[in-house]
Amino acid sequence: MKTKRHPFRTLCLVAGVFLPLVSSQGASLYTYGHGDIRVGAVGGQLSLQYYIGAPESDYAIVGGEFVFGESFAASDIWVNVPVQLTTTLPGEFPLLAGSAGESVWVIPTNDPYPIVAPFLGFSTEGFDGSLWGGFQFTLGEVRSPSGSGEFAVWTGLDGGGINPLLSTVEGVSQDSFTLTGNGHVHHFMGFTEAGLWEVDFTVASTYLPDGTLGSATETYYFHVVPEPTSFCLAAAGLAAVLLRRSRCRA
């Protein structure tokens, strides 16, 4: 007996295959609110982690649950970058090797309400600036979905323009930026394509009383959501292939 398969149902099943990927590695999807890439200390050594939300006043959503100021390992979190954070470049943007009319995804520096999305900062809170030298953040290896995407970190300037801090494009940005102890700052982060990104950040500082240099490197994960048209076309194409194969087998 032949089983009738509906194309729309097949499409839904295909979409269902994609969605669980956000938790296939055991990481929680960070979808809303304030968070920081924060410098910490473990066993007397510098570390990098996340601090998401704030006690009682500033909640975030991680793994579908409210978070009010909790620390997470970098590997335990995927930062969701929704399609609503896509913007069209009005002109050349060397920091992302972008041209006018191209789409990029940008994590904002503050709450993008009414868009439901995370906004990220960098933090050295808890470190005494009189005991530690500047905390220098550098960009390490960046693994984009296609292997050829571009990533950048920058800040806006009063009166317009940008201050290019970090970029995978050679020769268009600084090699690092520095925070003092008990520092906190928000920068824009940009991506040129959808998919799962792996971004290595390193922080280094000197403990001034004895001159000890400390450093830490961690990989941070960003789940950049495709534009609806491209996602639907990809899903519909795969659904058509599956449907065709099912008919051939029937």
Side-chain angles (χ1 to χ4, degrees):
M1 178 179 176
K2 294 183 179 180
T3 301
K4 185 177 181 181
R5 300 178 184 269
H6 197 288
F8 181 75
R9 183 178 180 183
T10 305
L11 178 58
C12 292
L13 290 173
V14 172
V17 170
F18 286 112
L19 293 178
L21 290 179
V22 297
S23 59
S24 63
Q25 297 179 7
S28 296
L29 201 61
Y30 164 33
T31 55
Y32 173 76
H34 174 253
D36 289 320
I37 294 174
R38 177 176 281 194
V39 182
V42 176
Q45 303 295 317
L46 291 182
S47 66
L48 278 173
Q49 57 193 17
Y50 275 114
Y51 187 78
I52 300 178
E56 300 180 0
S57 61
D58 190 8
Y59 73 86
I61 298 176
V62 175
E65 298 181 355
F66 291 107
V67 171
F68 293 87
E70 293 184 26
S71 296
F72 296 87
S75 59
D76 289 342
I77 297 294
W78 285 10
V79 179
N80 192 58
V81 186
V83 66
Q84 289 85 356
L85 294 183
T86 307
T87 187
T88 301
L89 295 175
E92 298 294 319
F93 195 71
L95 205 58
L96 289 172
S99 302
E102 293 182 350
S103 294
V104 296
W105 289 253
V106 179
I107 297 178
T109 58
N110 50 34
D111 190 349
Y113 177 85
I115 298 173
V116 177
F119 55 106
L120 275 174
F122 293 83
S123 170
T124 59
E125 290 167 292
F127 285 86
D128 189 338
S130 66
L131 298 178
W132 290 86
F135 291 82
Q136 185 180 60
F137 289 84
T138 56
L139 185 64
E141 185 177 356
V142 175
R143 294 166 289 280
S144 69
S146 70
S148 59
E150 304 293 356
F151 169 80
V153 178
W154 70 93
T155 187
L157 298 175
D158 293 339
I162 66 168
N163 181 19
L165 301 176
L166 305 171
S167 176
T168 52
V169 181
E170 293 187 10
V172 298
S173 72
Q174 302 169 195
D175 294 327
S176 65
F177 65 89
T178 302
L179 283 180
T180 60
N182 275 321
H184 179 231
V185 67
H186 281 234
H187 298 314
F188 295 101
M189 296 186 195
F191 309 81
T192 59
E193 62 185 33
L196 182 64
W197 289 71
E198 301 177 14
V199 179
D200 293 350
F201 287 109
T202 295
V203 66
S205 184
T206 300
Y207 185 60
L208 299 177
D210 62 12
T212 300
L213 176 65
S215 66
T217 299
E218 286 290 349
T219 300
Y220 286 81
Y221 299 85
F222 299 86
H223 177 243
V224 179
V225 180
E227 296 180 83
T229 300
S230 59
F231 175 80
C232 289
L233 287 175
L238 184 52
V241 171
L242 293 176
L243 184 61
R244 188 178 305 114
R245 288 180 178 175
S246 68
R247 285 176 175 171
C248 290
R249 293 190 184 120

